[in-house]
Amino acid sequence: MSDLLTKLAKAIAKEKIKVIDLTQTLRPSTPVIQLPPPFAPSAPFSIEEISRYDDKGPAWYWNNLAMGEHTGTHFDAPIHWVTGKDYRDGATDTVPVQRFIAPAVVIDCSKEAKKDEKFLLTPKHILAWEKKHGTIPKGSWVLMRTDWSKREDPAKFLNMKEDGPHVPGPNADAVRLLVERDVNGWGVEAVGTDAGQAFSFEPAFPAHALMHGSNKFGLASLCNLDKLPPTGAVIVTAPLKIEHGSGSPLRVIALVHDED
Ligand code: MN
């Protein structure tokens, strides 16, 4: 078995296995999900210099950080939602670490999302994908490619309108089907795992209510999903080990076997 890991390390060093960063850069302008009152807002990302090779620290540079757990590219743990609150292995510090390394399949919805900012992924789309690529394997991440991460203007990324955000996502039946497939979690390029209009769905916010209610994870604000194959990638998604944390920003890294 040690041979297997040696081969893996060599393949990475030789770029036979490509390492792809699915993470957005954290900065003060990083868009944060906006909730209507009376709900409490999440703090934006902020960074404050402690010292930078100066009187406060002549040989070292470092910063203090502040942010909500759900800022930038981030992980949603099952206890994030009331439906998952009782999972003892559902917090950032209690999730079995094995679940932080898992295969990922990518459903390309970029054309649909370009045409319709409120595009909803339905079971019909998932079944059509499965007809082409095979049944979604148990324990996989399912990532929805929309190219939403290419919206560099934070206002266009959040896309808030009078009737709430216009952002693509899954409908409730699509999430039910993914839960049936026993996936590891659901990941998107948008600011949250649910569609912009998901407050009006039944149940409301199904990618949270149903996924976390089944002890499954979420990933939001991913990028570079256009660089992944539909099947075959493995992603590493370890959140910070915050005691009883509901999620955390993280670096999401994909391993992709370069076949040629
Ligand atoms: Mn979140």
Side-chain angles (χ1 to χ4, degrees):
M1 287 307 278
S2 64
D3 186 40
L4 185 61
L5 285 177
T6 306
K7 276 187 189 156
L8 173 67
K10 268 190 192 151
I12 290 170
K14 288 186 173 164
E15 296 181 38
K16 285 295 288 176
I17 290 176
K18 277 192 274 178
V19 182
I20 298 171
D21 194 352
L22 307 186
T23 320
Q24 297 269 17
T25 302
L26 270 174
R27 48 171 79 94
S29 61
T30 293
V32 174
I33 207 157
Q34 293 173 342
L35 305 182
F39 305 119
S42 174
F45 176 83
S46 69
I47 183 162
E48 173 203 54
E49 195 175 283
I50 306 169
S51 72
R52 191 166 191 161
Y53 333 117
D54 53 22
D55 291 347
K56 295 174 187 165
W60 51 94
Y61 166 55
W62 53 347
N63 301 295
N64 286 319
L65 305 178
M67 77 202 86
E69 285 173 329
H70 298 252
T71 304
T73 302
H74 72 272
F75 183 93
D76 286 1
I79 67 159
H80 176 42
W81 219 249
V82 64
T83 49
K85 71 182 173 56
D86 294 326
Y87 286 113
R88 298 176 114 196
D89 58 351
T92 47
D93 60 331
T94 59
V95 168
V97 289
Q98 186 192 16
R99 292 189 65 194
F100 297 145
I101 305 175
V105 306
V106 180
I107 302 181
D108 183 359
C109 306
S110 55
K111 284 194 191 90
E112 292 87 345
K114 196 172 181 185
K115 264 188 259 161
D116 176 9
E117 294 185 325
K118 293 196 280 184
F119 169 72
L120 295 181
L121 182 79
T122 67
K124 198 182 89 184
H125 298 109
I126 298 172
L127 294 171
W129 184 95
E130 287 189 325
K131 210 167 172 196
K132 239 174 137 178
H133 303 287
T135 305
I136 294 168
K138 179 182 164 164
S140 299
W141 283 97
V142 178
L143 309 180
M144 182 184 185
R145 174 185 163 196
T146 55
D147 289 348
W148 208 256
S149 57
K150 296 180 181 172
R151 293 178 171 229
E152 285 177 10
D153 173 0
K156 289 212 170 100
F157 183 78
L158 295 173
N159 212 29
M160 186 61 83
K161 309 279 179 180
E162 237 163 61
D163 61 345
H166 288 195
V167 174
N171 77 0
D173 283 336
V175 181
R176 280 191 192 96
L177 179 57
L178 297 181
V179 169
E180 218 174 275
R181 292 287 184 269
D182 202 8
V183 300
N184 198 41
W186 163 251
V188 302
E189 294 182 49
V191 75
T193 54
D194 263 300
Q197 299 287 308
F199 58 85
S200 64
F201 294 0
E202 185 48 50
F205 304 107
H208 289 83
L210 303 176
M211 277 283 159
H212 301 326
S214 307
N215 202 9
K216 302 189 180 311
F217 311 140
L219 285 173
S221 295
L222 296 170
C223 61
N224 290 330
L225 296 188
D226 56 344
K227 298 191 171 74
L228 299 188
T231 65
V234 168
I235 63 170
V236 183
T237 60
L240 296 178
K241 198 171 179 179
I242 301 165
E243 188 172 28
H244 208 59
S246 76
S248 102
L250 79 171
R251 194 81 183 241
V252 179
I253 284 171
L255 302 179
V256 176
H257 189 192
D258 195 352
E259 308 281 358
D260 13 283

